[in-house]
Amino acid sequence: MYQRIRNLREDHDLTQTQMGRILHCSQRVYSNYERGDIDIPTGILIKLGDFYQVSVDYLLNRTDNPRMAE
């Protein structure tokens, strides 16, 4: 469900464990986010967007434009 989040993590050579530490959650919770087993809280989506410097709409596949609005 959240393929872009997985792709971005892999493009940055990060593990799920490392992303869990960055987001202050366990590897298991982060894995559940990537698989779409649980909804990603708004605050986590914002942190992911800021971390990867992409828009939340891009993360959610609502646009193909990764740029954040200014």
Side-chain angles (χ1 to χ4, degrees), residues 2 4 6 8-11 15 21 26 31 33 37 45 48-50 57 59 64 66 70:
Y2 295 107
R4 286 196 171 149
R6 179 180 180 174
L8 285 165
R9 176 182 58 78
E10 290 176 346
D11 290 347
T15 66
R21 286 187 192 127
S26 69
S31 175
Y33 291 156
D37 290 345
L45 283 170
L48 285 167
D50 289 347
D57 282 341
L59 294 176
D64 289 329
E70 294 183 24

Side-chain angles (χ1 to χ4, degrees), residues 24-61:
H24 305 287
C25 65
S26 69
Q27 177 274 329
R28 179 170 291 218
V29 168
Y30 182 81
S31 175
N32 288 334
Y33 291 156
E34 278 191 4
R35 287 194 318 267
D37 290 345
I38 57 176
D39 285 334
I40 303 174
T42 303
I44 297 295
L45 283 170
I46 292 168
K47 285 182 183 180
L48 285 167
D50 289 347
F51 182 80
Y52 292 122
Q53 297 182 342
V54 298
S55 72
V56 171
D57 282 341
Y58 179 76
L59 294 176
L60 297 175
N61 289 318

